[in-house]
Amino acid sequence: MPPGITTLAADAPTLSAANTGFMLICSALVMLMTPALAFFYGGMVRVKSALNMLMMSFISLGIVTVLWVLYGFSLAFGTDTGSVIGWSQDFVGLSGIGVTELWDGYTIPVYVFAVFQLMFAVLTPALISGALADRVKFTSWALFITLWVTVVYFPVAHWVWGAGGWLFEMGVIDFAGGTAVHINAGAAGLGVILVIGKRVGFKKDPMRPHSLPLVMLGAGLLWFGWFGFNAGSWLGNDDGVGAVMFVNTQVATAAAMLAWLGYEKLRHGSFTTLGAASGAVAGLVAITPAGGAVSPLGAIAVGAIAGVVCAMAVGLKYKFGYDDSLDVVGVHLVGGVIGSLLVGLFATGGVQSDAKGLFYGGGFDQLGKQAVGVLAVLAYSLVVSALLALALDKTIGMRVDEDDEVSGIDQVEHAETAYDFSGAGGGAAPRTSSHAPAAPAAPAAPANKKVDA
């Protein structure tokens, strides 16, 4: 037998219980990011939209999971066709996969890889929802998710991560989703809001977050879950690359939060909790594509640059007049672009691959590849997302009626409100002083009366 074949047989991967367990934990952490995002977004909207915002994220767990099993995994990671899409009959319905069958070249089962990537697919359309807060019909949103993951996310995931995908083969570095997740979602959000227009009262009425504690809770859970999102994307724990990514995730996020707060203090005079949460998310976004290619010092640079630039970018909606409700464009699109391009500057060539950035003697080669990946995903997602929104808007309609938007989308779309303001079941009536008689209780509102907020 030729020596090469003997060596190949000897080196064939075998199932690793440690890596399998690690990846299952990482998958659970990434799943947690979707409800964490729901809290993050839910706290940022006005009280009359809180439930709708939670549901716009949560429904993705249902829709995308089913589609992923039926055909999404096959489209994203099946056998390549033309460098643009995949397809494997065995992956349809996950019906032709052996229980211990390994993902090619790795020590984890195909099932584990499939469920890990599923959680990415679930999270990405949920990110888009923040751009559309307060004004989209829930049925239309659910149908948009179905169409969008089918014609945008699954193909783009194949381009970036699938064997044979054209960006993958070109050598574009995207460790955990700067292009496939964040630029993809941010560009989609921009495409949709250019079609459906602004909220009623945009730039006129106050639209402040109704619960900053919920925002901070969501941001903290996102930070926690992101360790699975990033470190898990190396699909194992055998060579230390995942550990570097874990460290860089923490470092870049901390640097971005500090940079955002510093910019905010200089620009507006205050350190805000919303700024701290937004800065942390900007750092998480930016390090996602870059963290496996840069050193911890490089991660500080990536985070600090993202923190400042994203803080500046969130104000662009007022300058250019597009109503990005919760700054998906300013944080996810801009942060994803920054992190992806900075790979071309700060890649050391000593972590996930030998590709070096400009500052490490690699010239402009990697930077050029990163720019192609950024522009391709941004343009495709922007255009196709806008076309999908236009088609839905012209058929079933994307927006709720103006009166319903003003009165509150929670009541209209879900027949619920996030908080009970009726006072039913309250305690003792308030007193004006310790010696004054109790004030008469106000009559209770009828049970079916809508409370505006």
Side-chain angles (χ1 to χ4, degrees):
M1 184 178 290
I5 296 178
T6 303
T7 302
L8 182 64
D11 293 341
T14 58
L15 191 149
S16 166
N19 284 339
T20 298
F22 170 71
M23 289 305 302
L24 288 172
I25 292 171
C26 287
S27 300
L29 287 172
V30 182
M31 179 271 163
L32 177 66
M33 292 173 68
T34 298
L37 181 74
F39 284 127
F40 181 69
Y41 281 168
M44 290 175 69
V45 296
R46 291 169 289 180
V47 68
K48 63 184 180 180
S49 304
L51 289 181
N52 180 253
M53 200 70 259
L54 294 171
M55 280 292 287
M56 287 181 79
S57 288
F58 214 75
I59 193 63
S60 187
L61 281 162
I63 294 171
V64 180
T65 296
V66 173
L67 297 181
W68 187 255
V69 171
L70 293 178
Y71 58 82
F73 183 54
S74 184
L75 289 175
F77 292 100
T79 303
D80 176 70
T81 301
S83 298
V84 294
I85 200 66
W87 188 258
S88 294
Q89 192 62 37
D90 287 347
F91 292 169
V92 176
L94 304 185
S95 57
I97 301 170
V99 174
T100 59
E101 181 181 343
L102 299 182
W103 185 243
D104 190 29
Y106 292 89
T107 60
I108 61 172
V110 175
Y111 274 116
V112 175
F113 177 76
V115 78
F116 180 67
Q117 288 295 335
L118 161 63
M119 302 311 175
F120 281 65
V122 166
L123 177 67
T124 306
L127 292 172
I128 303 169
S129 66
L132 318 178
D134 297 334
R135 59 202 190 275
V136 174
K137 293 178 181 177
F138 190 70
T139 301
S140 299
W141 170 244
L143 185 53
F144 177 82
I145 289 178
T146 302
L147 297 172
W148 188 84
V149 294
T150 301
V151 300
V152 178
Y153 182 80
F154 298 156
V156 169
H158 183 77
W159 297 357
V160 175
W161 294 318
W166 71 278
L167 293 177
F168 179 86
E169 295 299 325
M170 180 186 291
V172 174
I173 292 175
D174 185 354
F175 195 96
T179 54
V181 175
H182 298 289
I183 293 175
N184 204 2
L190 180 58
V192 176
I193 58 182
L194 292 177
V195 171
I196 67 171
K198 307 173 184 67
R199 288 169 291 179
V200 176
F202 176 64
K203 294 202 290 187
K204 296 178 183 177
D205 299 337
M207 297 181 178
R208 292 184 292 270
H210 89 278
S211 177
L212 287 168
L214 271 186
V215 175
M216 295 295 281
L217 172 65
L221 289 173
L222 281 170
W223 194 333
F224 176 68
W226 224 290
F227 290 116
F229 191 83
N230 280 358
S233 289
W234 199 238
L235 305 184
N237 232 351
D238 298 323
D239 55 8
V241 175
V244 173
M245 186 55 165
F246 193 108
V247 170
N248 285 345
T249 299
Q250 175 69 15
V251 169
T253 307
M257 179 179 67
L258 296 176
W260 187 301
L261 287 173
Y263 172 84
E264 189 176 56
K265 177 65 174 178
L266 292 173
R267 183 72 175 82
H268 303 292
S270 301
F271 302 113
T272 68
T273 51
L274 182 59
S278 300
V281 173
L284 291 164
V285 170
I287 201 60
T288 292
V294 305
S295 68
L297 287 177
I300 292 177
V302 170
I305 292 169
V308 172
V309 176
C310 290
M312 297 170 64
V314 296
L316 293 177
K317 63 185 180 183
Y318 300 110
K319 181 177 181 179
F320 294 109
Y322 62 88
D323 186 8
D324 174 18
S325 305
L326 307 183
D327 301 317
V328 175
V329 175
V331 174
H332 293 277
L333 176 57
V334 174
V337 169
I338 290 169
S340 297
L341 293 179
L342 290 181
V343 171
L345 301 181
F346 293 113
T348 66
V351 190
Q352 73 176 90
S353 72
D354 59 4
K356 294 183 178 181
L358 179 63
F359 296 163
Y360 287 82
F364 289 95
D365 181 60
Q366 192 61 44
L367 181 60
K369 294 175 181 178
Q370 297 302 117
V372 170
V374 165
L375 292 173
V377 173
L378 196 162
Y380 180 74
S381 183
L382 176 68
V383 172
V384 177
S385 301
L387 291 174
L388 290 175
L390 184 62
L392 290 172
D393 195 47
K394 295 299 184 183
T395 51
I396 63 173
M398 282 286 284
R399 291 191 63 148
V400 297
D401 294 337
E402 183 174 321
D403 289 344
D404 292 337
E405 180 181 334
V406 171
S407 64
I409 196 169
D410 284 357
Q411 193 75 275
V412 173
E413 292 292 306
H414 308 291
E416 298 171 307
T417 57
Y419 306 98
D420 180 6
F421 294 112
S422 68
R431 295 176 181 269
T432 56
S433 74
S434 59
H435 302 289
N448 61 349
K449 183 178 181 180
K450 181 168 63 179
V451 180
D452 293 329

